[in-house]
Amino acid sequence: MRQCVGCQEMKSKKEMLRVIKTPEDEIILDATGRKNGRGAYLCFSKECLLKARKNRGLERSLKTSIPPEVYDSLERELDELGTK
């Protein structure tokens, strides 16, 4: 079980989307759940990403500050995943 950094709900790993901070300090979505790096989990909803942005849940989990353009990029990637 994993906890969403947005809504704080516990769900199985397959029901969540992993956001990672790579060793090169990039913040990216990890749809496979297998990439190397420090991870945090989000539900597959835009609302949870917005909540995580507001309560700084991603920043706490990844132990780094996240610039607004990275959040915008994550939002676009999440929209693309939703349309597939």
Side-chain angles (χ1 to χ4, degrees):
M1 298 294 280
R2 305 289 189 268
Q3 185 175 27
C4 174
V5 294
C7 66
Q8 310 301 317
E9 283 186 35
M10 297 292 285
K11 295 184 180 179
S12 72
K13 187 176 176 179
K14 292 184 190 309
E15 296 177 79
M16 309 281 284
L17 184 64
R18 187 168 182 240
V19 180
I20 62 167
K21 180 178 101 173
T22 65
E24 295 80 35
D25 288 334
E26 282 184 285
I27 310 288
I28 57 172
L29 285 181
D30 177 16
T32 64
R34 299 177 196 272
K35 291 184 182 172
N36 231 2
R38 182 166 186 84
Y41 290 86
L42 280 170
C43 296
F44 281 101
S45 74
K46 200 176 206 176
E47 292 81 31
C48 285
L49 178 60
L50 296 175
K51 283 181 191 175
R53 186 176 191 169
K54 186 177 179 182
N55 70 16
R56 298 184 181 274
L58 270 179
E59 293 182 22
R60 276 195 310 275
S61 292
L62 299 177
K63 297 183 178 178
T64 189
S65 63
I66 301 175
E69 54 272 8
V70 172
Y71 279 112
D72 297 338
S73 170
L74 290 174
E75 203 170 316
R76 280 192 302 278
E77 287 184 57
L78 191 62
D79 286 341
E80 289 173 17
L81 282 174
T83 56
K84 290 182 182 176

